[in-house]
Amino acid sequence: MNTVDVCISPQLYPVYHKDSSIVVVIDILRATSAMCTAFEHGAAKIIPVAAIEEAAEYKKQGFLVGAERNGIAIEGFDFGNSPFSYMTEKIKGQTIVISTTNGTQAIHAARNAYKLVIGAFTNITALCNWLKLQDRNVLLLCSGWKNKFNLEDTLFAGAAAGILMEDHSLFKSGDGALAASFLYESAQDNPYKYLRNSSHTERLAELGLKKDIKYCFSLDQTAVIPVLEGKYLVPLS
Ligand code: 3SL
C-alpha cells in the first residue's frame, strides 16, 4: 500500500526522499499560495529560483520577477510574495520568475522528485482529489522557516494528510502524517486564530499583511495544481 507522510523541513528531505514519491511542496505563508493565485490569474509558467542573483539575471532578460526575503519585497523586482500582487492582468500568458525565502528553496531541494506539485489551502480539494487517483507514495514537504518547523505548513500538511487518510484502503500513514493530522484537528475550527502567536503570522502582521494571511487560509480559490516540468512550474493538465 502507498504511504502518505509529512516532512517538516527541507533539511530533512533527504531522509524522506523515495524515488517513487509524489512530493507536494507547501509554503502556506505565502509562496505556494501566491503561485496558485498566479496560475488562477492566467500565468502560463513560473520559474521558481532559489537565489536572488538568478532572479536578477531573469529580470535583466526581461522576465516579470517576484522576489521576497523575510517577508519584504525586494526593490527592483516586479512583485513581492503577496498573492494579491499576482491578481493582475499583467501576468496573463506570461512566464514569471519567483524567488522567496523558503518556498523556492524547498522546490529546489525536491526538484528531482518523481513528480513535484504545489499545495496550498487555496487548491486543497483539487490537489487531494488528484493525489488519491495516482496510486503513488505522497510526501507532504513543508518549507518551514529557514529549515525550522513552522506551524502553518504543518497545519496544511495535516489537513491534506487527513483527507488522504479518510479512505483507509488508499494510504498507510507515516508518523509525520499522523502528528500533522492531529495538529490540524485541534486547529480546524479556526486555523487563523490558532496561528495568531506563531512566528510568521506575527512577522507578516507587523508588516501590515494580515489580509494576506486570511487569504492564504481561504479554501479552494482554484482548481489548478502547479507541477514542476524541468525548470518550469506549469498547471497540471
Ligand atoms: O518563505 C517564503 O518562501 C515566503 O513565503 C515567506 S513570506 O510569506 O513572503 O514572507
Side-chain angles (χ1 to χ4, degrees):
M1 193 190 289
N2 292 312
T3 302
V4 56
D5 212 347
V6 173
C7 173
I8 57 166
S9 159
Q11 188 98 46
L12 288 173
Y13 176 69
V15 178
Y16 284 83
H17 170 79
K18 282 189 190 143
D19 288 339
S20 57
S21 296
I22 297 174
V23 175
V24 179
V25 174
I26 304 159
D27 187 338
I28 296 306
L29 297 175
R30 297 164 289 170
T32 56
S33 306
M35 288 168 182
C36 289
T37 305
F39 282 120
E40 179 62 21
H41 285 78
K45 295 180 184 179
I46 295 175
I47 305 175
V49 299
I52 287 295
E53 295 72 23
E54 203 183 340
E57 276 306 314
Y58 279 109
K59 177 78 191 141
K60 272 192 217 149
Q61 291 168 36
F63 285 86
L64 288 170
V65 181
E68 161 279 330
R69 285 297 179 272
N70 301 317
I72 298 168
I74 302 182
E75 237 184 271
F77 292 95
D78 303 283
F79 313 102
N81 201 18
S82 170
F84 293 103
S85 62
Y86 294 96
M87 294 177 185
T88 164
E89 284 287 309
K90 225 163 112 175
I91 64 169
K92 268 222 159 94
Q94 299 290 318
T95 296
I96 61 176
V97 177
I98 299 184
S99 182
T100 71
T101 312
N102 303 287
T104 58
Q105 318 299 324
I107 293 171
H108 184 72
R111 66 192 181 287
N112 294 324
Y114 159 74
K115 208 177 265 286
L116 184 159
V117 294
I118 295 297
F121 282 105
T122 55
N123 74 348
I124 186 167
T125 299
L127 173 71
C128 290
N129 287 342
W130 178 79
L131 289 170
K132 282 180 184 174
L133 296 174
Q134 301 312 304
D135 195 13
R136 286 269 165 188
N137 295 313
V138 172
L139 181 65
L140 298 154
L141 172 60
C142 301
S143 299
W145 183 261
K146 300 184 180 175
N147 284 319
K148 291 183 179 165
F149 172 91
N150 82 15
L151 200 48
E152 64 274 13
D153 294 347
T154 309
L155 281 187
F156 171 83
I163 295 170
L164 299 182
M165 292 177 329
E166 270 164 10
D167 179 344
H168 298 289
S169 67
L170 287 181
F171 293 99
K172 267 193 321 213
S173 43
D175 281 8
L178 281 177
S181 65
F182 293 150
L183 193 68
Y184 184 68
E185 273 170 29
S186 46
Q188 65 186 344
D189 290 343
N190 193 343
Y192 180 75
K193 191 168 165 208
Y194 195 86
L195 280 169
R196 68 188 181 283
N197 297 322
S198 71
S199 55
H200 201 43
T201 301
E202 286 185 345
R203 197 176 290 117
L204 292 177
E206 272 165 30
L207 294 169
L209 295 168
K210 281 192 180 165
K211 193 174 153 210
D212 285 28
I213 303 170
K214 283 210 164 123
Y215 175 79
C216 293
F217 279 86
S218 58
L219 300 177
D220 298 329
Q221 302 298 310
T222 181
V224 173
I225 303 165
V227 59
L228 193 66
E229 283 183 3
K231 67 175 184 177
Y232 298 104
L233 287 167
V234 295
L236 187 75
S237 48

